[in-house]
Amino acid sequence: AIPVRSSRLPLLSDAMPAPAHLFPLIRNCEISRICSTVCYCHHKHLCCLSHFAHSHFRYASQKRFVALHRPKENFNYFIHTRDYASTPQRFYLTPPQVNSILKANEYSFKVPEFDGKNVSSVLGFDSNQLPANAPIEDRRSAATCLQTRGMLLGVFDGHAGCACAQAVSERLFYYIAVSLLPHETLLEIENAVESGRALLPILQWHKHPNDYFSKEASKLYFNSLRTYWQELIDLNSGETTDVKEALINAFKRLDNDISLEAQVGDPNSFLNYLVLRVAFSGATACVAHVDGVDLHIANTGDSRAMLGVQEEDGSWSAVNLSYDHNAQNEHEVERVKMEHPKSEEKSLVKQDRLLGLLMPFRAFGDVKFKWSIELQKRVVESGPDQLNDNEYTKFIPPNYHTPPYLTAEPEVIHHKLRPQDKFLVLATDGLWETMHRQDVARIVGEYLTGVHHQQPIAVGGYKVTLGQMHGLLTERRARISSVFEDQNAATHLIRHAVGNNEFGTVDHERLSKMLSLPEELARMYRDDITIIVVQFNSHVIGACQNEEL
């Protein structure tokens, strides 16, 4: 969303493009809710990073507490003091308190070896989330397809609020499942709706109690989904549905429905505002469909999928199964340029952002980068007052000439699982900003196997005395006995992502400080982190491989 540093800024006129410096960076610099009118910069990728990097940032709350720190620098100087006191005090969380925070959102599911249709190639999965935003803008989903084979798992990273990520996490798997259904099953479901009979269950959800559904919007969402399967019935070609094609169609159709629902509106004022919040916020998505040895990854945006592979010598390697859709991806930049006139080439990507504002080049929602200016004005002016009075929704991106500039179409990668492919990690960019994929593969692999491969201690150029090195070795030996205390692989990974020190080991003091940060400061150090770790059944995969031979 658009960070605004002062509530005294004048409202923009409806059609006047705002000066770019007033709206420096959508995504990773978001407002907490789409309906907010003011906010503050709160991410390390800000245009004002240089200011923070060279000066202390002061957070004052009603003259009660001041927290002084230097972002991205030595975290040992994080302290809390009263604004009239000069003596620093340090506050530490105990290990049980740290564990309570880390495990609050963890979830595990073990797949039955035989689910009634086929032997599953998935042993189970662990998932977890650690918020930085308040409320958290990430979402996660996992479900088993009941009318077709396979399992769906996904992570969703919201920006400009959590509304779009919430909607996509609830709805996308239904669109994928419907896209995969054979014509006969679609007819059976439609006939059941027509006659008022009970519907065949399409998905079995595997959800943490905190992962909720929007009950108020369920009827609206169902009607849009029904329209989609009715069209699939009418377009029946009699051919078997290709998984890659089904994934692409589902992503695109859901994004189209999100846009259409916002344009049409709803007589119910609550729903009308909800569909507008969903459309004007945005979300990236990284989804896995696992069916036997066939693994498909559909990715839109900058969350990632990574395969953990165990080599013959027992070591671990990482295989990327997705590509970030941002300015660091040259192919993605070229794709965007090819879709717009040559005259816009210099304005399409500025400061590594789409139109100088948006970090991901693909996302759900974000209609401000998809609708025409005329449509945006019409919807905003006819919408509720909360929308019409909001600076962000009235803001027109600079150099906005030939929309749409953004798409939700995923890039789909197919991978045939092998016995050495032990696990899959799906995670939002909050993880990948702090850890390299090779470290992720090693940490998860060692956790799942219980085998800790000792690596030479790297000091990264630091001058370490013999006594300090002895302390590091002693600390590592003590840690080995407790390193697998986590019962959830995603929790274990988050512990490393947040608590690793410069030597690559979990430092309890650092972990305690990072988890003690007040909400207003946490987002400056890291993003929301959402992780799903899927463990594969190597015996089943090997057997399937032999059958194909």
Side-chain angles (χ1 to χ4, degrees):
I2 306 298
V4 180
R5 299 191 181 187
S6 171
S7 60
R8 295 186 294 275
L9 287 174
L11 290 177
L12 301 174
S13 63
D14 288 347
M16 180 182 69
H21 70 277
L22 287 181
F23 299 93
L25 314 171
I26 300 176
R27 178 91 161 104
N28 289 332
C29 183
E30 310 94 332
I31 51 177
S32 61
R33 295 180 182 274
I34 190 65
C35 54
S36 304
T37 55
V38 294
C39 64
Y40 51 87
C41 296
H42 59 324
H43 194 272
K44 60 187 176 184
H45 295 310
L46 299 182
C47 56
C48 46
L49 179 62
S50 58
H51 169 74
F52 287 121
H54 295 95
S55 64
H56 287 93
F57 176 82
R58 182 176 295 272
Y59 163 68
S61 176
Q62 303 295 329
K63 294 187 177 181
R64 287 151 68 181
F65 287 94
V66 179
L68 301 178
H69 70 289
R70 295 181 66 83
K72 304 300 289 181
E73 295 184 16
N74 191 340
F75 203 61
N76 291 327
Y77 293 104
F78 173 67
I79 58 173
H80 287 269
T81 76
R82 291 189 177 275
D83 54 1
Y84 51 79
S86 59
T87 304
Q89 291 179 288
R90 296 191 178 192
F91 297 90
Y92 298 102
L93 297 172
T94 64
Q97 289 173 324
V98 167
N99 286 340
S100 178
I101 293 171
L102 291 179
K103 298 180 179 184
N105 297 311
E106 69 178 9
Y107 179 82
S108 296
F109 178 76
K110 302 303 177 187
V111 177
E113 186 173 349
F114 184 74
D115 62 7
K117 291 177 293 186
N118 59 292
V119 179
S120 177
S121 59
V122 175
L123 284 172
F125 72 87
D126 294 334
S127 72
N128 202 351
Q129 294 183 297
L130 183 66
N133 291 293
I136 186 172
E137 294 179 338
D138 282 5
R139 294 293 186 271
R140 58 183 165 176
S141 292
T144 300
C145 299
L146 297 178
Q147 301 306 319
T148 57
R149 303 187 342 158
M151 194 169 190
L152 288 164
L153 308 105
V155 294
F156 311 93
D157 189 351
H159 48 268
C162 60
C164 189
Q166 175 64 36
V168 174
S169 70
E170 293 181 31
R171 306 176 67 182
L172 181 58
F173 285 9
Y174 280 114
Y175 280 71
I176 294 172
V178 164
S179 300
L180 290 168
L181 290 177
H183 183 251
E184 296 75 17
T185 307
L186 289 173
L187 282 174
E188 188 176 348
I189 292 175
E190 175 60 20
N191 290 335
V193 175
E194 280 290 333
S195 60
R197 291 184 284 111
L199 288 178
L200 290 171
I202 297 175
L203 295 172
Q204 177 190 354
W205 291 94
H206 312 299
K207 301 182 79 68
H208 187 279
N210 292 344
D211 301 336
Y212 61 92
F213 279 94
S214 303
K215 295 181 180 178
E216 300 84 358
S218 58
K219 184 177 180 181
L220 170 69
Y221 292 169
F222 176 81
N223 289 337
S224 294
L225 181 67
R226 184 185 180 189
T227 301
Y228 178 43
W229 80 53
Q230 287 172 338
E231 293 179 13
L232 291 176
I233 291 172
D234 294 340
L235 295 172
N236 174 46
S237 61
E239 298 178 1
T240 304
T241 305
D242 176 71
V243 176
K244 179 178 180 179
E245 183 182 356
L247 288 166
I248 292 173
N249 291 341
F251 272 63
K252 292 169 65 176
R253 178 55 183 251
L254 174 56
D255 191 55
N256 183 73
D257 283 353
I258 288 172
S259 175
L260 187 61
E261 288 161 1
Q263 294 176 50
V264 173
D266 194 281
N268 181 301
S269 59
F270 175 83
L271 285 180
N272 190 42
Y273 188 40
L274 174 64
V275 297
L276 289 167
R277 287 179 57 214
V278 170
F280 277 92
S281 58
T284 67
C286 188
V287 172
H289 179 266
V290 190
D291 180 11
V293 295
D294 291 305
L295 170 62
H296 287 83
I297 301 294
N299 184 54
T300 289
D302 52 9
S303 294
R304 294 182 192 170
M306 183 217 78
L307 194 65
V309 180
Q310 189 170 34
E311 305 297 344
E312 291 184 1
D313 63 358
S315 63
W316 296 92
S317 61
V319 176
N320 280 344
L321 291 181
S322 66
Y323 300 100
D324 292 352
H325 298 134
N326 55 27
Q328 279 65 55
N329 184 336
E330 294 181 3
H331 297 292
E332 191 68 4
V333 173
E334 286 303 311
R335 178 192 66 79
V336 172
K337 289 181 178 180
M338 289 288 290
E339 294 177 356
H340 298 276
K342 187 80 172 177
S343 58
E344 294 187 59
E345 188 171 308
K346 292 184 178 179
S347 62
L348 284 171
V349 180
K350 285 187 173 182
Q351 297 178 318
D352 288 342
R353 290 164 174 82
L354 187 65
L355 298 181
L357 296 171
L358 193 64
M359 287 191 70
F361 287 9
R362 303 191 193 193
F364 286 91
D366 283 322
V367 294
K368 296 208 66 63
F369 295 85
K370 298 173 182 176
W371 289 355
S372 68
I373 293 176
E374 293 73 19
L375 178 57
Q376 291 187 41
K377 288 181 62 178
R378 179 178 65 79
V379 171
V380 170
E381 290 171 358
S382 62
D385 291 341
Q386 301 101 309
L387 190 74
N388 197 32
D389 293 341
N390 184 264
E391 290 184 11
Y392 170 62
T393 55
K394 296 168 69 174
F395 162 62
I396 304 299
N399 303 300
Y400 196 79
H401 306 298
T402 56
Y405 290 90
L406 194 65
T407 179
E409 180 173 343
E411 187 173 14
V412 180
I413 292 178
H414 174 233
H415 176 81
K416 283 279 188 182
L417 290 171
R418 307 159 298 173
Q420 61 265 40
D421 299 332
K422 301 300 183 181
F423 61 88
L424 172 73
V425 176
L426 301 172
T428 54
D429 62 347
L431 173 68
W432 309 111
E433 287 172 354
T434 60
M435 297 191 73
H436 189 273
R437 64 179 181 274
Q438 189 56 47
D439 293 327
V440 171
R442 177 182 57 81
I443 289 168
V444 175
E446 291 177 352
Y447 170 85
L448 293 177
T449 60
V451 178
H452 189 74
H453 290 272
Q454 296 288 8
Q455 302 291 329
I457 289 183
V459 296
Y462 289 86
K463 292 183 179 180
V464 180
T465 66
L466 187 60
Q468 289 172 326
M469 180 60 73
H470 175 73
L472 288 171
L473 290 169
T474 303
E475 183 181 310
R476 183 170 76 172
R477 184 171 60 184
R479 187 176 62 253
I480 291 172
S481 61
S482 62
V483 72
F484 303 119
E485 64 182 14
D486 293 317
Q487 302 300 308
N488 182 295
T491 303
H492 188 66
L493 195 49
I494 290 176
R495 187 184 299 275
H496 279 266
V498 178
N500 269 9
N501 59 20
E502 59 269 30
F503 303 113
T505 60
V506 175
D507 181 335
H508 173 73
E509 186 174 320
R510 174 183 174 83
L511 187 59
S512 171
K513 291 174 181 176
M514 288 293 283
L515 296 178
S516 301
L517 280 172
E519 292 175 353
E520 295 80 1
L521 301 183
R523 191 61 178 82
M524 296 185 64
Y525 286 95
R526 60 174 180 81
D527 198 354
D528 297 330
I529 300 175
T530 298
I531 301 170
I532 299 177
V533 178
V534 186
Q535 190 174 4
F536 296 121
N537 190 329
S538 299
H539 299 295
V540 171
I541 292 171
C544 292
Q545 207 174 47
N546 292 334
E547 286 179 9
E548 291 181 356
L549 296 175

